């Protein structure tokens, strides 16, 4: 009887060890990922810049909301603005009936109200600019697509300043040629030249090189990363993976690799993960942002909430409701978390790079609870951990370190 029992226990332990072995890479990656010591909230808002002038009013309204809140250190909430530096000069192209692409850059006097609102928020510490792209598309691909796609042709003849959001999704990816599907990669020399150009214009407008880049539609590759890194970018925002192309149906396609905060890419760029969303115009309420903050905090991760400019433009009633929801989210977040910190994404990247112990937990025992929460979210692994009883020693580990 005792031999039987001993045998069962040995088999049981063996199965658990095998499970740990099979998932060792995932478990190690989640262990290496930095653990933040407190709740951190950042709003990451893309697509601002060269585009409709109503952005100026929206940015002013956002500034006022953000300035109504402070964390315990007296810092305002930060909204990073993924900036688009130029847009098609549709009026010139239409008037001249030329087949060549023409652009209007953000530093043109015409955009002064938008730039003034942007700069006011930067000076107050509620906005920080990030590079989203010279355009939110690859101009030659848009020009090529316009020959066969009526929607694109009409977009290129927009009366006034165009919205890049109105292009077909496949064409909103800057770093591929998606004139037709599946997309084609861009020549390396053209990527490098485009990066040189966008960094130059970014510097002209903001007086410094971009530190953080946000790939449009999260499609980019090693060449883009190397080019950005060579021109001062040290951090790339990712959705937790990388897409490099679009398939025959226009869907983003990647190798499925999991990217975690603090991992490094080409040219030693640091990746940060933005995979939580607060898009009021899509029906997201403050609670969605609060749920994300709760989960990310338990996982020892910063909460980067994606919220595009479209939430705050267009229909005034919807924009007002979006601002009210943003305000409610901030009120509730401050009420729930006394240690809540408002930081910029750059602050977070620098804290990770420098192992800043005022934000990063380095003691192994104190890191365990966040690690356990992270691995318990890996559905397949956790199901097997329950089935094999591995959850029991993990639960004991959690109790010991709590
Ligand atoms: Zn975008």
């Amino acid at each position: 009887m005792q031999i039987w029992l001993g045998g069962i226990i040995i088999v049981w332990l063996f199965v658990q060890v095998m499970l740990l072995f099979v998932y060792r890479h995932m478990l190690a990656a989640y262990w290496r990922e930095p653990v933040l010591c407190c709740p951190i909230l950042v709003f990451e808002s893309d697509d601002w810049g060269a585009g409709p002038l109503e952005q100026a009013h929206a940015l002013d309204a956002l500034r006022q909301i953000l300035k109504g809140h402070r964390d315990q250190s007296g810092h305002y909430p930060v909204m990073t603005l993924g900036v688009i530096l130029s847009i098609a000069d549709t009026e010139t192209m239409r008037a001249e009936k030329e087949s060549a692409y023409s652009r209007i850059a953000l530093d043109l006097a015409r955009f002064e109200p938008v730039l003034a609102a942007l700069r006011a928020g930067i000076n107050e510490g509620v906005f920080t600019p990030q590079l989203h792209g010279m355009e939110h598309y690859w101009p030659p691909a848009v020009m090529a697509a316009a020959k066969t796609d009526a929607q694109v042709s009409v977009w290129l003849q927009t009366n006034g300043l165009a919205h890049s959001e109105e292009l077909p999704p496949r064409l909103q990816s800057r770093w591929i040629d998606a004139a037709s599907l599946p997309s084609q990669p861009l020549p390396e020399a053209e990527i490098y030249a485009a990066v040189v150009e966008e960094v130059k214009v970014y510097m002209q407008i903001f007086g410094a090189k971009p530190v953080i880049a946000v790939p449009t539609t999260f499609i980019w590759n090693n060449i883009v990363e190397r080019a950005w890194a060579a021109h001062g970018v040290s951090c790339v925002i990712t959705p937790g993976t990388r897409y490099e192309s679009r398939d025959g149906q226009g869907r983003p396609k990647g190798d499925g690799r999991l990217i975690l905060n603090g991992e490094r890419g080409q040219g030693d760029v640091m990746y940060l993960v933005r995979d939580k969303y607060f898009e009021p115009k899509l029906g997201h309420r403050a609670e969605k942002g609060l749920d994300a903050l709760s989960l990310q905090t338990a996982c020892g991760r910063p909460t980067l909430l994606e919220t595009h400019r479209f939430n705050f433009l267009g229909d005034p009633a919807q924009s007002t409701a979006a601002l009210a929801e943003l305000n409610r989210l901030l009120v509730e977040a401050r009420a729930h978390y006394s240690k809540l910190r408002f930081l910029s994404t750059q602050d977070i990247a620098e804290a990770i790079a420098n192992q800043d112990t005022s934000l990063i937990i380095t003691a192994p025992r104190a890191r365990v609870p966040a690690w356990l929460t992270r691995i318990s979210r890996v559905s397949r692994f956790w199901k097997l951990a329950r089935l094999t009883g591995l959850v029991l020693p993990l639960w004991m580990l959690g109790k010991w370190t709590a």
Side-chain angles (χ1 to χ4, degrees):
M1 181 63 185
Q2 278 186 342
I3 294 172
W4 271 105
L5 193 62
I8 288 169
I9 289 173
I10 287 170
V11 170
W12 184 54
L13 289 175
F14 177 75
V15 168
Q16 292 183 9
V17 169
M18 281 306 293
L19 181 58
L20 289 170
F21 179 77
V22 168
Y23 280 91
R24 65 193 182 284
H25 296 301
M26 179 275 285
L27 296 169
Y30 282 129
W31 178 256
R32 282 194 302 271
E33 185 183 7
V35 175
L36 281 295
C37 68
C38 50
I40 295 171
L41 182 58
V42 191
F43 295 97
E44 288 254 326
S45 193
D46 287 343
D47 304 345
W48 298 93
L53 298 182
E54 63 166 317
Q55 290 176 99
H57 178 68
L59 288 166
D60 284 338
L62 283 165
R63 277 171 49 217
Q64 298 314 318
I65 298 283
L66 297 168
K67 280 163 60 185
H69 303 272
R70 288 179 190 265
D71 65 13
Q72 277 207 325
S73 312
H75 293 118
Y76 292 134
V78 176
M79 182 170 273
T80 66
L81 302 180
V83 177
I84 291 298
L85 299 162
S86 74
I87 189 83
D89 186 352
T90 51
E91 287 168 349
T92 297
M93 288 162 77
R94 198 172 47 171
E96 295 182 358
K97 292 194 168 46
E98 280 187 15
S99 55
Y101 179 76
S102 173
R103 66 161 64 108
I104 335 172
L106 181 57
D107 56 356
L108 217 71
R110 185 170 180 183
F111 289 117
E112 189 46 39
V114 178
L115 266 183
L118 256 166
R119 287 187 172 128
I122 292 170
N123 292 336
E124 290 163 344
V126 293
F127 295 155
T128 58
Q130 299 182 157
L131 175 65
H132 202 27
M134 185 70 180
E135 279 101 359
H136 205 297
Y137 47 87
W138 186 247
V142 170
M143 296 299 283
K147 290 181 183 148
T148 54
D149 187 325
Q151 183 192 353
V152 183
S153 174
V154 167
W155 186 85
L156 274 174
Q157 294 177 49
T158 301
N159 190 10
L161 291 159
H163 290 63
S164 56
E165 294 93 331
E166 289 169 5
L167 278 171
R170 73 179 199 280
L171 291 172
Q172 293 181 36
S173 305
R174 173 160 172 75
W175 298 115
I176 49 171
D177 179 353
S180 59
L181 294 171
S183 67
Q184 298 300 312
L186 301 176
E188 185 166 347
E190 290 184 26
I191 291 177
Y192 264 86
V195 165
V196 168
E197 190 178 33
E198 67 182 16
V199 169
K200 189 174 148 209
V201 173
Y202 186 100
M203 281 185 70
Q204 282 166 3
I205 294 170
F206 296 108
K209 285 183 177 179
V211 176
I212 296 182
V214 188
T216 60
T217 72
F218 286 133
I219 292 178
W220 80 106
N221 61 18
N222 281 342
I223 300 168
V224 178
E225 264 180 38
R226 276 199 293 274
W228 274 337
H231 293 88
V233 170
S234 60
C235 178
V236 174
I237 303 299
T238 79
T241 191
R242 184 169 78 181
Y243 303 108
E244 296 193 28
S245 60
R246 285 187 184 265
D247 67 13
Q249 278 69 50
R251 292 172 302 210
K253 192 173 149 202
D255 60 10
R257 181 168 67 97
L258 180 72
I259 294 177
L260 298 176
N261 289 313
E263 289 184 359
R264 299 282 181 165
Q266 298 291 307
D268 206 33
V269 293
M270 180 192 289
Y271 295 131
L272 286 181
V273 177
R274 182 216 284 178
D275 60 357
K276 299 287 178 277
Y277 309 93
F278 176 63
E279 312 271 24
K281 266 197 187 169
L282 302 182
H284 297 177
R285 307 296 309 271
E287 285 71 16
K288 186 173 172 75
L290 292 166
D291 288 348
L293 180 58
S294 168
L295 175 63
Q296 296 295 82
T297 301
C299 289
R301 293 176 174 140
T303 306
L304 276 60
L305 284 184
E306 182 168 294
T307 184
H308 287 85
R309 75 167 179 185
F310 69 73
N311 293 290
F312 310 103
L313 300 181
D315 180 74
Q318 283 191 327
S319 301
T320 305
L323 289 167
E325 210 57 22
L326 172 67
N327 190 54
R328 195 164 70 83
L329 170 51
L330 284 164
V331 168
E332 297 285 331
R334 286 170 54 219
H336 279 81
Y337 300 95
S338 59
K339 291 183 180 168
L340 181 66
R341 298 280 303 269
F342 295 135
L343 298 174
S344 71
T345 306
Q346 190 177 339
D347 291 335
I348 297 166
E350 285 173 2
I352 292 173
N354 301 326
Q355 285 287 289
D356 177 355
T357 50
S358 68
L359 282 174
I360 310 289
I361 300 176
T362 53
R365 185 169 167 168
R367 293 164 49 82
V368 168
W371 179 72
L372 288 172
T373 309
R374 291 171 183 177
I375 64 173
S376 73
R377 304 283 305 173
V378 181
S379 165
R380 193 174 168 81
F381 167 76
W382 202 246
K383 272 183 200 149
L384 290 168
R386 292 168 90 129
L387 204 67
T388 58
L390 179 63
V391 285
L392 188 63
L394 290 175
W395 177 79
M396 286 161 68
L397 179 66
K399 283 285 167 199
W400 177 64
T401 53

